[in-house]
């Protein structure tokens, strides 16, 4: 049984279809990437898993439980955590407050401190800036904080929406390395990226979306070697 | 670290403001001027209460007069029919108002942004029509607060406005303290998270509806206290005075003018707005001519275009401008 399975989901915005009949499986321990161009429906699908978009058809099953009708705020407690597109930090609150809000669903104070230490180990810069207001961080630091905040929920599945968006290429490497590091610690990763090459490099498997449908699926390596992908997205 | 310096300055300013507020009505002895000061305090208090929902949690209600009215009617009805002191009636009004707020918040919070605001207007309008036609609560004629023995026990004072002034000041301070506590507690963070990034908040596990309901319950409680106070000050209430739409707008406006989501914004906003109203009232006569509504519209436009952060934001801007050369030197 896979950890997450999207079964034939369809998503519409005011009746305008954005995703048609998409099925995705994520096994425990994997890094899975959803890639594709602008408006392909990647983020829509991810937000449906997080519960932020209602699905018009199909099912979302997490660890064998149908969560299609579970409201967003209750999915966090089940072990799902979303690092949203554009970071969506709380700009007027400090780095530490942002992180602590990430642990909203948890009660054990000692465990929360442990997670806070973990976030600071992953991103030491956040420890230096812990009292600084989140809105004043650089783009890369904000992304680190968003990932740290997502991890504070102690998820089993961490979902990242465009983590490379708007940050320097050098930091993209650092962030993708950290995502692999997080994955190695036992957290399953579902990643949405427009930066197709970088995403497929770290992914075990990938799905290519185009205008709301899955057009290709396979291992990260195979997709990178696929001539169609190279032609359409990688400019090779 | 020099972080404590602005704090001591802030505390000194607060102590000074409090001292002035305590002494002012002893210097200003004319009853009409005292009444004007009471109005400033009263609208500051309901503005601070409105700010909990509208400012911190970001849910702009334009029907807060419903809670004000419920407060006024509850304490007055209890006073008339059960002889219960308005002090207790005030608390009862707050609780009734909170229950009502949660009951209407449940469906209304399914709407977002402007749609929520429109729903709150509708609720307040319906309440006004209901009370106007409800004979047991006086209908359109209204209710007179019973002619009880004057004094603190009954919160009735016929010969002097002074006690009302101090009650209004006390209510304002209590409401400010509650706001201050919320601002620094986990609730304040949740409210701001809901306001700034609702999607992120809910994907962290924060139930938006639950915390919006908490915000409206607290906000309506303190708004109702203001309503009960108003009833005792005027000793007469009717739907046109305690359930009027323009009162709802004014509650929102003192906060928007002063500074949304800032602790003292509504106090500054109320001081300015009540003063402007007093001047225009003298110039144009009466308040039934709609000049107040024209004024509100004009202020909303000016604030929205030029000073979206209100007086508080404007003051901060000035302070930053003057603080800079100092820091360099």
């Amino acid at each position: 049984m896979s950890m997450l399975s999207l079964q034939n989901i369809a998503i519409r915005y005011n009746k305008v279809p954005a995703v048609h009949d998409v099925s995705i499986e994520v096994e425990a321990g994997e890094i899975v990437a959803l890639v594709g161009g602008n408006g392909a429906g990647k983020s829509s699908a991810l937000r449906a898993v997080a519960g932020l978009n209602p699905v018009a058809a199909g099912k979302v099953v997490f660890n064998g439980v149908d969560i299609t009708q579970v409201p967003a705020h209750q999915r966090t407690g089940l072990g799902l955590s979303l690092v949203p597109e554009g970071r969506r930090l709380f700009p007027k609150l400090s780095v530490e407050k942002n992180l602590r809000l990430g642990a909203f669903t948890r009660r054990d104070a000692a465990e929360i401190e442990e997670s806070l230490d973990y976030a600071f180990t992953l991103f030491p810069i956040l420890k230096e800036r812990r009292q600084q207001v989140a809105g004043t961080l650089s783009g890369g630091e904000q992304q680190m904080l968003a990932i740290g905040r997502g991890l504070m929920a102690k998820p089993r599945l961490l979902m990242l929406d465009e983590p490379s968006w708007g940050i320097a290429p050098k930091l993209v490497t650092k962030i993708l390395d950290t995502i692999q590091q997080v994955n190695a610690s036992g957290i399953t990763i579902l990643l949405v990226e427009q930066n197709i090459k970088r995403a497929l490099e770290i992914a075990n498997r990938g799905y290519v979306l185009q205008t709301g449908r899955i057009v290709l699926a396979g291992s990260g390596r195979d997709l990178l070697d696929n001539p169609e992908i190279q032609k359409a997205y990688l400019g090779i | 670290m020099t972080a404590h310096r602005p704090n001591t300055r802030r505390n000194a300013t607060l102590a000074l403001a409090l001292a002035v507020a305590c002494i002012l009505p002893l210097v200003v002895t004319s009853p009409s001027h005292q009444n004007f000061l009471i109005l400033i305090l009263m609208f500051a208090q309901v503005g601070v209460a409105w700010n909990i929902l509208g400012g911190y949690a970001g849910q702009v209600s334009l029907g807060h007069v419903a809670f004000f009215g419920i407060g006024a009617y509850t304490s007055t009805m209890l006073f008339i029919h059960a002889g219960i002191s308005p002090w207790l009636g005030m608390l009862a009004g707050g609780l009734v108002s909170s229950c009502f707020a949660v009951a209407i918040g449940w469906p209304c919070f399914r709407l977002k942004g402007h749609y929520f605001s429109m729903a709150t207007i509708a609720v307040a309008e319906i309440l006004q029509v209901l009370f106007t036609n409800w004979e047991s609560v006086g209908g359109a004629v209204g209710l007179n607060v019973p002619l009880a023995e004057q004094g603190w026990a009954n919160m009735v004072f016929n010969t002097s406005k002074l006690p009302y002034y101090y009650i209004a000041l006390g209510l304002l301070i209590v409401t400010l303290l509650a706001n201050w506590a919320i601002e620094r507690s986990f609730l304040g963070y949740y409210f701001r998270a809901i306001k700034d990034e609702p999607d992120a908040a809910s994907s962290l596990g924060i139930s938006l509806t639950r915390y919006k309901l908490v915000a409206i319950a607290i906000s309506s409680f303190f708004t109702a206290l203001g309503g009960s106070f108003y009833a005792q000050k005027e000793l007469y209430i009717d739907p046109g005075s305690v359930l009027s739409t323009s009162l709802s707008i004014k509650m929102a406006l003192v906060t928007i003018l002063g500074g949304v989501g800032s602790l003292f914004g509504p106090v500054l906003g109320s001081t300015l707005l009540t003063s402007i109203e007093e001047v225009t009232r003298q110039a144009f006569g009466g308040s039934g001519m709609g000049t107040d509504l024209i004024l509100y519209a004009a202020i909303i436009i000016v604030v929205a275009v030029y000073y979206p952060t209100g007086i508080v934001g404007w003051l901060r801007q000035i302070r930053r401008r003057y603080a800079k050369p100092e820091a360099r030197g």
Side-chain angles (χ1 to χ4, degrees):
Chain A
M1 184 187 70
S2 47
M3 175 178 253
L4 174 75
S5 108
L6 301 190
Q7 300 171 2
N8 310 98
I9 62 159
I11 299 167
R12 296 183 194 124
Y13 294 107
N14 290 327
K15 295 184 183 163
V16 179
V19 170
H20 317 263
D21 198 26
V22 161
S23 296
I24 289 169
E25 301 285 326
V26 180
E27 305 292 334
E30 278 188 313
I31 299 182
V32 173
L34 303 184
V35 298
N38 236 335
K42 317 179 293 290
S43 289
S44 298
L46 199 67
R47 287 170 57 87
V49 180
L52 297 172
N53 281 350
V55 295
K59 279 201 292 189
V60 181
V61 179
F62 183 63
N63 284 320
V65 183
D66 182 351
I67 59 165
T68 318
Q69 300 304 327
V70 175
H73 67 268
Q74 288 173 13
R75 297 191 189 192
T76 322
L78 297 174
L80 282 162
S81 181
L82 173 72
V83 180
E85 184 176 11
R87 276 93 64 162
R88 304 287 163 209
L89 297 170
F90 307 119
K92 287 173 229 127
L93 301 181
S94 70
V95 167
E96 186 175 337
K97 290 266 157 56
N98 267 278
L99 288 170
R100 287 188 185 278
L101 273 171
F104 176 84
T105 49
R106 301 170 62 193
R107 290 290 163 262
D108 188 324
E111 282 187 18
I112 292 173
E113 293 307 311
E114 236 170 70
S115 294
L116 197 62
D117 283 342
Y118 179 57
F120 286 150
T121 325
L122 285 178
F123 303 113
I125 188 84
L126 295 182
K127 191 169 190 178
E128 279 172 41
R129 311 245 151 133
R130 70 196 283 173
Q131 300 306 336
Q132 199 173 319
V133 177
T136 61
L137 298 178
S138 76
E141 289 162 357
Q142 289 194 8
Q143 188 59 55
M144 294 177 193
L145 178 53
I147 295 173
R149 187 182 65 180
L151 286 169
M152 288 297 289
K154 209 175 186 187
R156 286 191 278 177
L157 175 68
L158 184 70
M159 298 179 279
L160 300 120
D161 199 345
E162 303 276 1
S164 76
W165 178 81
I167 57 179
K170 199 175 142 198
L171 279 173
V172 173
T173 309
K174 154 83 182 149
I175 285 187
L176 293 177
D177 284 351
T178 312
I179 291 171
Q180 281 185 299
Q181 203 181 326
V182 168
N183 177 249
S185 79
I187 297 172
T188 310
I189 306 277
L190 179 58
L191 177 70
V192 156
E193 261 300 338
Q194 281 194 54
N195 195 336
I196 293 172
K197 182 164 177 288
R198 305 299 298 273
L200 291 177
E201 277 169 2
I202 68 161
N204 302 107
R205 289 187 307 112
Y207 293 86
V208 182
L209 273 87
Q210 211 172 56
T211 57
R213 295 175 203 279
I214 292 173
V215 291
L216 268 174
S219 76
R221 194 67 256 165
D222 287 349
L223 290 174
L224 274 177
D225 292 337
N226 184 304
E228 274 180 67
I229 300 251
Q230 292 186 344
K231 205 171 102 193
Y233 297 109
L234 304 177
I236 301 173
Chain B
M1 291 285 278
T2 51
H4 67 278
R5 260 181 58 207
N7 257 342
T8 30
R9 197 196 286 166
R10 183 185 159 139
N11 290 344
T13 316
L14 282 180
L16 187 69
L18 186 62
V20 170
C22 287
I23 297 165
L24 201 58
L26 303 175
V27 183
V28 181
T29 47
S30 132
S32 72
H33 289 160
Q34 283 184 346
N35 190 50
F36 164 64
L37 294 177
I38 294 170
L39 286 179
I40 290 181
L41 294 176
M42 195 185 90
F43 281 109
Q45 189 264 337
V46 290
V48 173
W50 184 90
N51 207 10
I52 298 170
L53 180 69
Y56 292 105
Q59 306 302 307
V60 174
S61 156
L62 293 176
H64 248 52
V65 79
F67 310 132
F68 189 84
I70 287 175
Y73 273 99
T74 307
S75 63
T76 307
M77 288 295 282
L78 286 175
F79 198 16
I80 294 174
H81 295 289
I84 292 171
S85 157
W87 290 103
L88 289 174
M90 194 179 242
L91 292 177
L95 293 176
V96 172
S97 178
S98 288
C99 293
F100 177 74
V102 170
I104 61 143
W106 190 259
C108 286
F109 283 135
R110 287 171 195 277
L111 304 167
K112 292 192 173 86
H114 300 106
Y115 298 102
F116 169 75
S117 304
M118 278 151 66
T120 58
I121 296 176
V123 168
E125 289 290 325
I126 291 168
L127 214 62
Q128 190 187 352
V129 173
L130 213 67
F131 273 68
T132 308
N133 293 290
W134 187 2
E135 292 306 326
S136 337
V137 297
V141 181
L143 292 172
N144 281 300
V145 174
L147 290 167
E149 198 184 326
Q150 90 162 313
W152 287 91
N154 292 329
M155 211 198 291
V156 172
F157 306 95
N158 299 318
T159 46
S160 166
K161 291 255 179 219
L162 214 52
Y164 288 126
Y165 178 91
Y166 287 111
I167 294 169
L169 183 61
L171 277 179
L172 174 60
I173 291 170
V174 168
T175 314
L176 279 171
L177 284 174
N179 243 12
W180 180 76
I182 290 169
E183 204 180 280
R184 317 191 122 229
S185 77
F186 67 97
L187 267 182
Y189 301 127
Y190 297 166
F191 290 169
R192 270 171 282 182
I194 289 171
K195 177 188 179 181
D196 292 335
E197 293 294 349
D199 276 359
S202 67
S203 49
L204 296 181
I206 301 174
S207 162
L208 302 186
T209 311
R210 182 185 303 163
Y211 285 99
K212 284 176 188 174
L213 287 174
V214 171
I216 202 173
I218 301 172
S219 176
S220 61
F221 179 85
F222 286 105
T223 309
L225 299 190
S228 298
F229 168 76
Y230 174 87
Q232 291 307 119
K233 179 178 102 62
E234 296 295 322
L235 296 172
Y236 168 74
I237 55 171
D238 69 341
S241 62
V242 295
L243 285 168
S244 74
T245 313
S246 66
L247 203 55
S248 275
I249 297 174
K250 190 169 175 185
M251 286 182 208
L253 199 54
V254 294
T255 315
I256 293 164
L257 177 62
V260 168
S262 79
L263 188 54
F264 291 100
V267 182
L268 296 174
S270 170
T271 309
L272 188 63
L273 190 66
T274 312
S275 308
I276 296 173
E277 271 186 347
E278 202 60 23
V279 172
T280 53
R281 190 159 300 162
Q282 281 164 14
F284 301 109
S287 58
M289 296 177 50
T291 46
D292 49 348
L293 290 174
I294 298 172
L295 184 73
Y296 294 168
I299 290 174
I300 289 174
I301 294 168
V302 171
V303 171
V305 174
Y306 298 102
Y307 303 104
T309 48
I311 301 172
V312 169
W314 180 60
L315 289 176
R316 278 192 195 133
Q317 225 176 333
I318 291 178
R319 192 166 45 183
R320 230 171 289 144
R321 196 173 300 160
Y322 283 94
K324 255 185 197 161
E326 207 175 293
R328 275 196 214 114

